[in-house]
């Protein structure tokens, strides 16, 4: 009988148990507010954060950082903060980007007894105002005056009682804004004169609201509790084990759950966080030589692309040598995976296969060693040369990039989760880094694979819907009980919306998404329906389906409106040769097809215009590669439901090769 594809939270690797036992400090606390005084006590004079790009530069030890958090909290309480009601604190919106002041404001608000509602300040005003209104935020903290000016027209009808600018700009004092507007320094001055009162925070108290994409086009407010986030802090040490003073390069937006939880964990371990950005990343790697890095797949793709570009700039004979060495090293690492049983398979390698792999490792080692000395060592040095482990999440990592990073000796541990799960559900461990998988569940976490229709558990190795249960699963969606009921069943199982299967070793392998949301490699969640609806405004597009899961950009499958297209061609004194037309042979001078440059340029213009003209347009909404399809989506060919909705997984499977080729050529 096949075993059920379920991972029990009680089955933890002995090595992981040992690491978890070494981290007892935060298991008995009730809230994030209690974590920070412990970090001050344990790591006092260790440098907590360093922003080399701020003017002036910012350097704070753990003692200085936590002192500022507590002072900001006291200042917030002095401004006025209602009492916590039914485990739901008063909400304060924090619309700001990653900086030392972000972590001070975030933790200060939570210490004061608020739940912060976080979003990046570069989001459009409509989205930010929706979040402000829906969350019922009673106060607002923003990066600077420019953000406040963006929101100003919509603030009059909201119950905002005070506003803080995380800058030293002169605040707006105009009469048309009838609430106090203070700078960061003014809040700190109030805090210096006040005594912070401990807030009654418990593990089931909401710590933060993070708004994520919804199928209706409106974001949903994910309620994460102190217990949700403390689960991550206390259990991620089973994945990586940083030491006090280890350096971490910080590049992810902290209003993303992935970046935020990663920072919380590294601070809990006494790391030194160094702020960087895409422009400075290359030089910061070399100068600061980090031991750890947390990033989305886009970062590793950019590193890979940069190295490949350098390879292509070499003379032809050197390019040939590098490619030859990479080929030998690819075989070398694959043999190593076989020896360790680290291949995606429902069955472990046989003794004979391991024997062959062992011989291959011995024979290929000298050639791989040459590659290390001539090529791979230089790539490692480009990341500072001290990187112990890099964490990748927010999307899957392409296998060719996985293999390249393994060849050059960069250990990347891929994790998986969602905003609703705080976010980490599974992660690879350095002693079991199964490439192509999303890793094993964290401690206290249960993963189950079920049939998408019947919800019955499926055997190991069989693909189905991924459900998750554990202390990191959200409390629910704020003021949206219907969506909460759809997401979490009465037994506490959260529907991830992802498809996957479990290996015999309890590794989760993801194969696609059962729901519509598309996650790009930069971690951005794209809801396809509103963009598709906008594109359908074009007279030349009959049907469209967006694709792009784990890609750099969106792509599209387009069914043209052939009548409109023929009329357009006639207006250009051209004739459109329809797919399947009986007239074969070469095109006449006045004939075009769907693949002709004129037609592709027409669709490119239509896509660009309609996407950019839609409300709340973001750069990530842009459609990159596209492919035209002659056969319409219909019920007859199984691509539409009875309610005429596109069966996305079916279409994805039907055009799998075409989609892969489309992105490969882009």
């Amino acid at each position: 009988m096949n075993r059920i594809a379920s991972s029990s939270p009680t089955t933890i690797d002995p090595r992981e148990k040992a690491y978890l036992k070494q981290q007892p400090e935060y298991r008995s606390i009730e809230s994030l507010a209690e974590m920070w005084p412990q970090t001050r006590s344990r790591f006092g004079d260790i440098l907590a954060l360093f922003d080399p790009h701020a003017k002036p530069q910012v350097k704070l030890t753990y003692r200085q950082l936590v002192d500022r958090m507590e002072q900001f909290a006291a200042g917030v309480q002095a401004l006025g903060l209602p009492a916590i009601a039914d485990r739901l604190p008063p909400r304060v919106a924090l619309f700001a980007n990653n900086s030392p002041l972000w972590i001070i404001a975030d933790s200060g608000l939570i210490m004061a007894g608020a739940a912060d509602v976080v979003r990046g300040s570069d989001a459009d005003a409509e989205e930010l105002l929706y979040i402000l209104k829906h969350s019922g935020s009673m106060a607002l903290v923003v990066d600077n005056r420019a953000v406040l000016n963006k929101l100003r027209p919509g603030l009059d009808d909201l119950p905002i009682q005070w506003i803080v600018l995380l800058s030293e700009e002169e605040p707006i004092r105009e009469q048309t804004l009838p609430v106090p507007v203070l700078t960061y320094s003014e809040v700190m001055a109030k805090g210096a004169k006040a005594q912070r009162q401990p807030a009654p925070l418990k593990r089931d108290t909401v710590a933060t609201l993070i708004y994520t994409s919804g199928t209706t086009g409106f974001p949903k407010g994910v309620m994460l509790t102190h217990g949700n986030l403390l689960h991550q802090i206390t259990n991620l040490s089973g994945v990586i084990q940083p030491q006090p003073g280890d350096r971490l390069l910080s590049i992810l937006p902290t209003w993303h759950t992935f970046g935020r939880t990663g920072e919380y964990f590294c601070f809990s371990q006494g790391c030194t966080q160094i702020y960087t950005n895409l422009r400075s990343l290359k030089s910061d790697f070399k100068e600061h030589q980090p031991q750890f890095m947390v990033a989305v797949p886009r970062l590793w793709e950019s590193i890979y692309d940069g190295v490949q570009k350098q390879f292509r700039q070499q003379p032809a004979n050197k390019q040939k040598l590098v490619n030859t060495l990479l080929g030998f090293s690819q075989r070398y690492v694959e043999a190593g995976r076989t020896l360790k049983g680290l291949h995606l398979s429902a069955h472990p390698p046989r003794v004979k296969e391991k024997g062959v792999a062992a011989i291959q490792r011995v024979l290929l080692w000298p050639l791989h060693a040459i590659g290390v000395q001539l090529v791979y060592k230089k790539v490692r040095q480009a990341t500072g040369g001290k990187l112990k482990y890099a964490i990748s999440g927010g999307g899957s990592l392409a296998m060719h990039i996985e293999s390249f990073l393994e060849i050059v000796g960069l250990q990347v541990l891929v994790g998986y989760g969602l905003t609703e799960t705080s976010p980490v559900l599974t992660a690879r461990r350095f002693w079991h880094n199964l490439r192509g998988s999303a890793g094993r569940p964290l401690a206290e976490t249960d993963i189950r694979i079920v049939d998408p229709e019947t919800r019955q558990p499926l055997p190991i190795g069989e693909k189905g819907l991924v459900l998750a249960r554990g202390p990191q699963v959200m409390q629910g969606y704020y003021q949206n009980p219907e969506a909460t009921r759809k997401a979490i069943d009465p037994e506490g199982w959260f529907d991830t919306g992802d498809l996957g299967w479990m290996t015999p070793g309890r590794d989760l392998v993801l194969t696609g998404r059962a729901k519509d949301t598309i996650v790009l490699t930069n971690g951005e969640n794209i809801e396809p329906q509103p963009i598709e609806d906008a594109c359908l405004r074009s007279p030349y597009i009959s049907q469209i389906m967006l694709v792009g899961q784990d890609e750099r950009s969106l792509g599209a499958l387009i069914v043209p409106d052939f009548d409109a297209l023929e009329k357009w061609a006639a207006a250009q004194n051209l004739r459109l040769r329809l797919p399947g037309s009986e007239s074969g042979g070469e095109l006449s001078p006045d004939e075009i097809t769907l693949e002709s440059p004129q037609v592709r340029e027409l669709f490119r213009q239509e896509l660009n215009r309609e996407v950019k003209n839609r409300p709340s347009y973001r750069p990530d909404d842009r459609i990159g590669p596209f492919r035209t399809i002659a056969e319409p989506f219909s019920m007859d060919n199984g691509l539409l439901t009875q309610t005429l909705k596109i069966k996305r997984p079916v279409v994805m499977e039907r055009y799998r090769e075409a989609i892969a080729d489309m992105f490969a050529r882009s």
Side-chain angles (χ1 to χ4, degrees):
M1 175 181 283
N2 289 329
R3 287 178 290 162
I4 296 299
S6 182
S7 153
S8 168
T10 58
T11 53
I12 303 176
D13 185 280
R15 190 181 313 198
E16 185 170 345
K17 281 185 179 180
Y19 286 126
L20 293 174
K21 285 181 180 179
Q22 296 171 13
Q23 304 288 334
E25 291 84 1
Y26 306 112
R27 294 192 178 275
S28 60
I29 62 177
E30 287 289 312
S31 71
L32 293 170
E34 295 178 53
M35 180 188 83
W36 292 107
Q38 289 201 29
T39 65
R40 177 173 55 195
S41 175
R42 295 175 62 198
F43 313 121
D45 293 327
I46 293 176
L47 188 63
L49 54 81
F50 174 35
D51 188 349
H53 308 293
K55 296 181 180 179
Q57 291 184 347
V58 177
K59 285 187 176 183
L60 294 175
T61 66
Y62 274 87
R63 183 171 290 107
Q64 293 169 329
L65 175 61
V66 179
D67 286 350
R68 281 164 172 73
M69 291 174 176
E70 292 180 339
Q71 189 172 337
F72 189 88
V76 166
Q77 289 179 339
L79 285 172
L81 207 60
I84 295 174
D86 192 27
R87 300 298 185 214
L88 181 63
R91 276 76 63 212
V92 176
L94 174 57
F95 296 157
N97 292 325
N98 207 7
S99 74
L101 290 184
W102 191 97
I103 193 68
I104 291 172
D106 164 60
S107 299
L109 288 168
I110 290 173
M111 284 181 177
D116 57 1
V117 183
V118 296
R119 185 65 170 95
S121 60
D122 51 358
D124 64 77
E126 182 182 5
E127 179 180 354
L128 294 178
L129 288 169
Y130 172 82
I131 292 172
L132 268 175
K133 181 177 181 180
H134 185 269
S135 66
S137 292
M138 53 79 59
L140 173 63
V141 180
V142 295
D143 260 336
N144 48 44
R145 188 195 298 171
V147 181
L148 182 55
N149 287 342
K150 179 169 67 173
L151 299 175
R152 176 65 191 90
L155 294 179
D156 287 337
D157 297 329
L158 299 177
I160 303 298
Q161 297 180 22
W162 45 263
I163 298 171
V164 175
L165 306 180
L166 293 179
S167 66
E168 294 312 311
E169 300 169 287
E170 181 65 23
I172 301 172
R173 310 290 188 186
E174 57 194 296
Q175 294 297 318
T176 56
L177 197 61
V179 297
V181 181
L182 298 89
T183 64
Y184 170 77
S185 293
E186 289 173 327
V187 176
M188 295 297 278
K190 284 182 175 290
K193 299 175 183 177
Q195 183 68 38
R196 180 178 70 90
Q197 301 302 313
L201 304 173
K202 301 295 181 183
R203 284 191 169 244
D204 58 354
T205 303
V206 175
T208 188
L209 266 67
I210 303 176
Y211 277 75
T212 187
S213 298
T215 55
T216 62
F218 293 104
K220 293 178 287 189
V222 176
M223 294 187 289
L224 297 182
T225 66
H226 287 264
N228 291 150
L229 296 168
L230 286 173
H231 168 272
Q232 304 281 285
I233 291 167
T234 54
N235 289 297
L236 284 175
S237 56
V239 178
I240 58 172
Q241 301 76 38
Q243 299 301 307
D246 277 351
R247 295 175 300 280
L248 168 81
L249 271 187
S250 173
I251 195 171
L252 291 180
T254 41
W255 52 268
H256 272 181
T257 325
F258 183 37
R260 185 178 186 179
T261 299
E263 287 193 10
Y264 282 169
F265 172 71
C266 289
F267 279 128
S268 78
Q269 305 301 301
C271 293
T272 296
Q273 178 163 287
I274 301 166
Y275 293 87
T276 188
N277 51 60
L278 288 175
R279 184 175 59 257
S280 308
L281 181 61
K282 186 176 180 180
S283 60
D284 283 343
F285 263 130
K286 292 181 179 179
E287 181 175 352
H288 302 293
Q289 298 180 327
Q291 280 93 0
F292 293 95
M293 182 82 186
V294 180
V296 293
R298 176 72 60 83
L299 174 73
W300 314 114
E301 290 174 1
S302 66
I303 291 174
Y304 174 82
D305 290 343
V307 172
Q308 293 298 317
K309 183 179 179 181
Q310 290 184 355
F311 288 166
R312 290 192 295 270
Q313 292 172 347
Q314 300 298 315
N317 60 334
K318 287 190 176 181
Q319 288 188 49
K320 184 176 181 180
L321 173 63
V322 168
N323 290 328
T324 300
L325 291 172
L326 285 170
F328 284 128
S329 293
Q330 176 73 41
R331 292 164 59 191
Y332 175 80
V333 299
E334 287 181 353
R337 293 175 188 172
T338 300
L339 278 174
K340 298 175 183 177
L342 293 177
H343 274 299
L344 290 181
S345 173
H347 304 285
R350 297 180 177 88
V351 174
K352 182 178 180 180
E353 291 172 328
K354 285 191 173 185
V356 172
I359 295 171
Q360 288 179 328
R361 289 279 283 188
V362 171
L363 295 176
L364 292 168
W365 162 247
L367 296 168
H368 176 68
I370 293 172
V372 170
Q373 293 302 318
L374 295 182
V375 183
Y376 314 148
K377 186 184 290 186
K378 295 178 182 178
V379 178
R380 278 189 55 82
Q381 288 172 347
T383 62
K386 299 288 182 67
L387 206 59
K388 295 178 183 176
Y389 302 106
I391 309 300
S392 180
S396 66
L397 199 56
M399 185 55 74
H400 70 279
I401 296 178
E402 289 248 37
S403 295
F404 175 78
L405 294 173
E406 186 177 5
I407 286 169
V408 301
L410 291 174
Q411 289 289 332
V412 178
L413 305 177
V414 171
Y416 161 69
L418 303 93
T419 301
E420 290 89 340
T421 59
S422 307
V424 186
L425 290 169
T426 66
R428 301 184 201 164
R429 279 49 161 191
F430 70 85
W431 64 86
H432 185 77
N433 193 355
L434 179 59
R435 271 75 180 186
S437 80
R440 292 172 171 174
L442 259 58
E444 306 174 43
T445 303
D446 200 355
I447 300 294
R448 176 176 289 180
I449 309 298
V450 302
D451 183 283
E453 300 297 330
T454 66
R455 297 299 175 104
Q456 292 300 306
L458 294 174
I460 283 174
E462 191 167 332
K463 184 175 74 173
L465 182 66
V466 181
L467 304 183
R469 184 169 64 180
Q472 70 270 60
V473 174
M474 67 172 180
Q475 191 178 81
Y477 296 112
Y478 183 62
Q479 291 190 338
N480 198 337
E482 181 180 353
T484 301
R485 283 193 296 270
K486 288 181 179 179
I488 306 173
D489 71 17
E491 295 181 354
W493 288 101
F494 171 71
D495 182 344
T496 69
D498 289 305
L499 300 174
W501 56 279
M502 295 287 285
T503 71
R506 299 173 51 249
D507 298 277
L508 175 64
V509 182
L510 298 172
T511 58
R513 295 187 67 80
K515 57 184 181 181
D516 297 344
T517 305
I518 297 171
V519 183
L520 302 179
T521 56
N522 64 357
E524 282 296 321
N525 288 253
I526 308 293
E527 207 58 41
Q529 192 67 55
I531 301 174
E532 290 167 348
D533 290 344
C535 293
L536 288 172
R537 293 181 304 203
S538 167
Y540 307 109
I541 298 176
S542 175
Q543 294 172 308
I544 183 170
M545 190 187 94
L546 296 190
V547 294
Q549 178 67 30
D550 298 322
E551 298 288 350
R552 296 185 183 189
S553 68
L554 292 174
L557 300 176
I558 299 171
V559 178
D561 185 310
F562 287 104
D563 289 341
L565 203 55
E566 284 185 293
K567 291 178 182 178
W568 169 84
Q572 316 298 314
N573 295 319
L574 298 169
R575 288 187 298 118
L576 178 68
R577 181 184 289 186
L578 297 175
S581 172
E582 293 182 1
S583 58
E586 294 184 358
L587 295 175
S588 61
D590 65 340
E591 275 190 315
I592 56 174
T593 69
L594 291 180
E595 296 305 312
S596 295
Q598 305 98 311
V599 177
R600 292 195 61 80
E601 180 58 25
L602 170 68
F603 280 112
R604 169 53 61 206
Q605 292 176 1
E606 293 294 299
L607 293 173
N608 289 349
R609 184 186 68 250
E610 299 301 349
V611 171
K612 287 183 178 179
N613 286 344
R614 65 178 289 270
S616 305
Y617 165 77
R618 300 178 300 170
D620 284 312
D621 295 345
R622 181 186 176 276
I623 297 173
F626 64 91
R627 179 67 59 91
T628 51
I629 298 172
E631 182 184 19
F633 306 143
S634 68
M635 286 189 289
D636 291 339
N637 61 18
L639 301 182
L640 287 184
T641 68
Q642 291 185 342
T643 55
L644 303 183
K645 293 178 181 177
I646 296 175
K647 296 181 178 179
R648 296 179 188 272
V650 178
V651 174
M652 287 285 293
E653 184 60 29
R654 176 82 59 90
Y655 294 101
R656 180 167 51 85
E657 292 183 3
I659 293 169
D661 180 68
M662 177 177 75
F663 281 109
R665 293 171 181 268
S666 65

